[in-house]
PDB file of all heavy atoms in Angstrom:
ATOM      1  N   THR N 208     113.505 182.098 109.737  1.00 49.00           N
ATOM      2  CA  THR N 208     111.998 182.410 109.805  1.00 49.00           C
ATOM      3  C   THR N 208     111.439 181.693 111.088  1.00 49.00           C
ATOM      4  O   THR N 208     110.241 181.945 111.372  1.00 49.00           O
ATOM      5  CB  THR N 208     111.359 181.670 108.552  1.00 49.00           C
ATOM      6  OG1 THR N 208     111.701 180.369 108.396  1.00 49.00           O
ATOM      7  CG2 THR N 208     111.741 182.531 107.330  1.00 49.00           C
ATOM      8  N   GLY N 209     112.080 180.922 111.722  1.00 57.00           N
ATOM      9  CA  GLY N 209     111.630 180.194 112.916  1.00 57.00           C
ATOM     10  C   GLY N 209     111.875 181.103 114.152  1.00 57.00           C
ATOM     11  O   GLY N 209     112.567 182.110 114.112  1.00 57.00           O
ATOM     12  N   PRO N 210     111.201 180.694 115.257  1.00 66.00           N
ATOM     13  CA  PRO N 210     111.450 181.420 116.592  1.00 66.00           C
ATOM     14  C   PRO N 210     112.873 181.299 116.961  1.00 66.00           C
ATOM     15  O   PRO N 210     113.494 180.335 116.767  1.00 66.00           O
ATOM     16  CB  PRO N 210     110.502 180.701 117.508  1.00 66.00           C
ATOM     17  CG  PRO N 210     110.253 179.348 116.905  1.00 66.00           C
ATOM     18  CD  PRO N 210     110.394 179.492 115.434  1.00 66.00           C
ATOM     19  N   PRO N 211     113.491 182.376 117.516  1.00 75.00           N
ATOM     20  CA  PRO N 211     114.843 182.345 118.064  1.00 75.00           C
ATOM     21  C   PRO N 211     115.026 181.394 119.086  1.00 75.00           C
ATOM     22  O   PRO N 211     114.234 181.038 119.926  1.00 75.00           O
ATOM     23  CB  PRO N 211     114.992 183.764 118.563  1.00 75.00           C
ATOM     24  CG  PRO N 211     113.670 184.259 118.953  1.00 75.00           C
ATOM     25  CD  PRO N 211     112.747 183.529 117.990  1.00 75.00           C
ATOM     26  N   LEU N 212     116.180 180.644 119.071  1.00 74.00           N
ATOM     27  CA  LEU N 212     116.561 179.699 120.054  1.00 74.00           C
ATOM     28  C   LEU N 212     117.051 180.407 121.333  1.00 74.00           C
ATOM     29  O   LEU N 212     118.011 181.222 121.300  1.00 74.00           O
ATOM     30  CB  LEU N 212     117.750 178.735 119.545  1.00 74.00           C
ATOM     31  CG  LEU N 212     118.072 177.566 120.330  1.00 74.00           C
ATOM     32  CD1 LEU N 212     116.817 176.607 120.287  1.00 74.00           C
ATOM     33  CD2 LEU N 212     119.269 176.834 119.663  1.00 74.00           C
ATOM     34  N   ILE N 213     116.439 180.096 122.411  1.00 83.00           N
ATOM     35  CA  ILE N 213     116.805 180.818 123.709  1.00 83.00           C
ATOM     36  C   ILE N 213     117.992 180.157 124.395  1.00 83.00           C
ATOM     37  O   ILE N 213     118.967 180.797 124.754  1.00 83.00           O
ATOM     38  CB  ILE N 213     115.611 180.746 124.672  1.00 83.00           C
ATOM     39  CG1 ILE N 213     114.393 181.470 124.042  1.00 83.00           C
ATOM     40  CG2 ILE N 213     115.891 181.370 125.998  1.00 83.00           C
ATOM     41  CD1 ILE N 213     113.176 181.517 124.875  1.00 83.00           C
ATOM     42  N   LYS N 214     118.020 178.830 124.404  1.00 84.00           N
ATOM     43  CA  LYS N 214     119.048 178.008 124.996  1.00 84.00           C
ATOM     44  C   LYS N 214     119.056 176.623 124.549  1.00 84.00           C
ATOM     45  O   LYS N 214     118.010 176.029 124.220  1.00 84.00           O
ATOM     46  CB  LYS N 214     118.926 178.125 126.637  1.00 84.00           C
ATOM     47  CG  LYS N 214     120.231 177.634 127.335  1.00 84.00           C
ATOM     48  CD  LYS N 214     120.006 177.788 128.788  1.00 84.00           C
ATOM     49  CE  LYS N 214     121.208 177.324 129.610  1.00 84.00           C
ATOM     50  NZ  LYS N 214     122.458 178.174 129.185  1.00 84.00           N
ATOM     51  N   SER N 215     120.164 175.977 124.467  1.00 82.00           N
ATOM     52  CA  SER N 215     120.447 174.581 124.070  1.00 82.00           C
ATOM     53  C   SER N 215     121.587 174.030 124.856  1.00 82.00           C
ATOM     54  O   SER N 215     122.458 174.695 125.128  1.00 82.00           O
ATOM     55  CB  SER N 215     120.577 174.373 122.607  1.00 82.00           C
ATOM     56  OG  SER N 215     121.718 175.023 122.118  1.00 82.00           O
ATOM     57  N   GLY N 216     121.519 172.676 125.219  1.00 81.00           N
ATOM     58  CA  GLY N 216     122.551 172.042 125.900  1.00 81.00           C
ATOM     59  C   GLY N 216     122.089 170.805 126.463  1.00 81.00           C
ATOM     60  O   GLY N 216     120.925 170.396 126.396  1.00 81.00           O
ATOM     61  N   TYR N 217     123.078 170.134 127.108  1.00 78.00           N
ATOM     62  CA  TYR N 217     122.638 168.826 127.845  1.00 78.00           C
ATOM     63  C   TYR N 217     122.127 168.995 129.278  1.00 78.00           C
ATOM     64  O   TYR N 217     122.559 169.866 130.024  1.00 78.00           O
ATOM     65  CB  TYR N 217     123.990 168.002 127.930  1.00 78.00           C
ATOM     66  CG  TYR N 217     124.426 167.248 126.548  1.00 78.00           C
ATOM     67  CD1 TYR N 217     125.266 167.882 125.821  1.00 78.00           C
ATOM     68  CD2 TYR N 217     123.813 166.077 126.284  1.00 78.00           C
ATOM     69  CE1 TYR N 217     125.669 167.242 124.563  1.00 78.00           C
ATOM     70  CE2 TYR N 217     124.156 165.462 125.072  1.00 78.00           C
ATOM     71  CZ  TYR N 217     125.031 166.110 124.216  1.00 78.00           C
ATOM     72  OH  TYR N 217     125.371 165.388 123.176  1.00 78.00           O
ATOM     73  N   CYS N 218     121.091 168.277 129.499  1.00 82.00           N
ATOM     74  CA  CYS N 218     120.515 168.150 130.757  1.00 82.00           C
ATOM     75  C   CYS N 218     120.241 166.694 131.056  1.00 82.00           C
ATOM     76  O   CYS N 218     120.403 165.758 130.164  1.00 82.00           O
ATOM     77  CB  CYS N 218     119.163 168.900 130.990  1.00 82.00           C
ATOM     78  SG  CYS N 218     119.292 170.735 130.722  1.00 82.00           S
TER      79      CYS N 218
END
Side-chain angles (χ1 to χ4, degrees):
T208 54
L212 191 64
I213 298 174
K214 191 173 182 62
S215 64
Y217 281 96
C218 295

